Amino acid sequence: MSVIVKPVVTEKMTNLTEKLNRYGFIVDYKSNKIQVKKAVEEMYGVTVDSVNTMNYYGKAKSRFTKAGLVSGRTNKFKKAIITLAEGDSIDFYSNI
Protein backbone atom coordinates (compact mmCIF):
# COMPACT_ATOMS: atom_id res chain seq x y z
CA MET A 1 0.00 0.00 0.00
CA SER A 2 1.48 3.30 -1.09
CA VAL A 3 1.52 6.34 1.17
CA ILE A 4 1.40 8.87 -1.67
CA VAL A 5 -1.79 8.67 -3.73
CA LYS A 6 -1.23 11.57 -6.17
CA PRO A 7 0.30 15.04 -6.37
CA VAL A 8 -1.89 18.14 -6.17
CA VAL A 9 -1.33 20.28 -9.26
CA THR A 10 -3.50 23.40 -9.01
CA GLU A 11 -2.89 27.09 -9.49
CA LYS A 12 -2.67 27.66 -5.74
CA MET A 13 -0.10 24.86 -5.26
CA THR A 14 1.90 26.09 -8.27
CA ASN A 15 2.16 29.53 -6.67
CA LEU A 16 3.31 27.96 -3.36
CA THR A 17 5.89 25.93 -5.27
CA GLU A 18 7.32 28.98 -7.00
CA LYS A 19 7.39 31.22 -3.93
CA LEU A 20 8.03 28.91 -0.97
CA ASN A 21 9.30 25.61 -2.49
CA ARG A 22 6.25 23.70 -1.21
CA TYR A 23 4.50 20.78 -2.91
CA GLY A 24 1.11 19.22 -2.25
CA PHE A 25 0.15 15.54 -2.24
CA ILE A 26 -2.98 13.53 -1.55
CA VAL A 27 -1.77 10.85 0.86
CA ASP A 28 -3.21 7.75 2.51
CA TYR A 29 -5.72 8.74 5.20
CA LYS A 30 -4.04 6.60 7.89
CA SER A 31 -0.47 7.75 7.23
CA ASN A 32 1.42 10.08 9.56
CA LYS A 33 3.97 12.84 8.89
CA ILE A 34 7.00 10.58 9.33
CA GLN A 35 5.69 8.07 6.77
CA VAL A 36 4.88 10.87 4.31
CA LYS A 37 8.36 12.38 4.69
CA LYS A 38 10.06 9.03 4.13
CA ALA A 39 7.88 8.23 1.09
CA VAL A 40 8.58 11.58 -0.62
CA GLU A 41 12.33 11.34 0.03
CA GLU A 42 12.47 7.80 -1.38
CA MET A 43 10.25 8.48 -4.41
CA TYR A 44 11.73 11.79 -5.57
CA GLY A 45 15.25 11.74 -4.06
CA VAL A 46 14.91 15.10 -2.27
CA THR A 47 15.38 16.35 1.29
CA VAL A 48 12.16 17.26 3.11
CA ASP A 49 12.30 20.07 5.69
CA SER A 50 8.73 19.90 7.01
CA VAL A 51 5.39 18.20 6.49
CA ASN A 52 1.99 19.74 7.21
CA THR A 53 -1.12 17.55 6.94
CA MET A 54 -4.82 18.34 6.64
CA ASN A 55 -7.81 16.02 6.95
CA TYR A 56 -10.75 16.68 4.65
CA TYR A 57 -14.01 15.00 5.63
CA GLY A 58 -16.59 13.93 3.05
CA LYS A 59 -19.45 16.33 2.38
CA ALA A 60 -23.08 15.27 2.17
CA LYS A 61 -24.36 15.67 -1.38
CA SER A 62 -27.82 15.23 -2.84
CA ARG A 63 -29.37 15.62 -6.26
CA PHE A 64 -32.78 15.27 -7.82
CA THR A 65 -33.26 12.61 -10.48
CA LYS A 66 -36.21 10.92 -12.22
CA ALA A 67 -36.14 8.27 -9.49
CA GLY A 68 -36.33 10.93 -6.77
CA LEU A 69 -33.82 12.33 -4.34
CA VAL A 70 -30.44 10.57 -4.39
CA SER A 71 -28.15 11.35 -1.47
CA GLY A 72 -24.61 10.31 -0.62
CA ARG A 73 -21.22 11.52 0.55
CA THR A 74 -17.96 12.49 -1.11
CA ASN A 75 -14.79 10.65 -0.09
CA LYS A 76 -12.66 11.80 2.81
CA PHE A 77 -8.97 12.34 2.13
CA LYS A 78 -5.75 13.65 3.66
CA LYS A 79 -3.59 16.30 2.02
CA ALA A 80 0.07 16.88 2.85
CA ILE A 81 2.05 20.04 2.10
CA ILE A 82 5.78 19.28 1.81
CA THR A 83 8.46 21.95 2.23
CA LEU A 84 11.72 20.98 0.55
CA ALA A 85 15.26 21.97 1.47
CA GLU A 86 16.85 24.91 -0.33
CA GLY A 87 17.96 23.92 -3.83
CA ASP A 88 15.76 20.80 -4.15
CA SER A 89 12.80 20.61 -6.51
CA ILE A 90 10.35 18.04 -7.89
CA ASP A 91 9.40 17.89 -11.58
CA PHE A 92 5.94 16.30 -11.93
CA TYR A 93 5.90 16.68 -15.71
CA SER A 94 9.07 14.71 -16.53
CA ASN A 95 7.16 11.40 -16.98
CA ILE A 96 4.71 12.80 -19.54
Side-chain angles (χ1 to χ4, degrees), residues 62-71:
S62 61
R63 64 180 179 187
F64 295 98
T65 63
K66 289 181 182 178
L69 182 67
V70 176
S71 60

Side-chain angles (χ1 to χ4, degrees), residues 52-87:
N52 298 88
T53 59
M54 297 162 261
N55 290 322
Y56 288 89
Y57 297 101
K59 294 189 218 176
K61 297 276 187 169
S62 61
R63 64 180 179 187
F64 295 98
T65 63
K66 289 181 182 178
L69 182 67
V70 176
S71 60
R73 295 189 71 81
T74 60
N75 294 334
K76 64 181 182 178
F77 63 95
K78 181 182 271 191
K79 185 162 66 170
I81 306 297
I82 311 297
T83 305
L84 296 183
E86 194 69 33

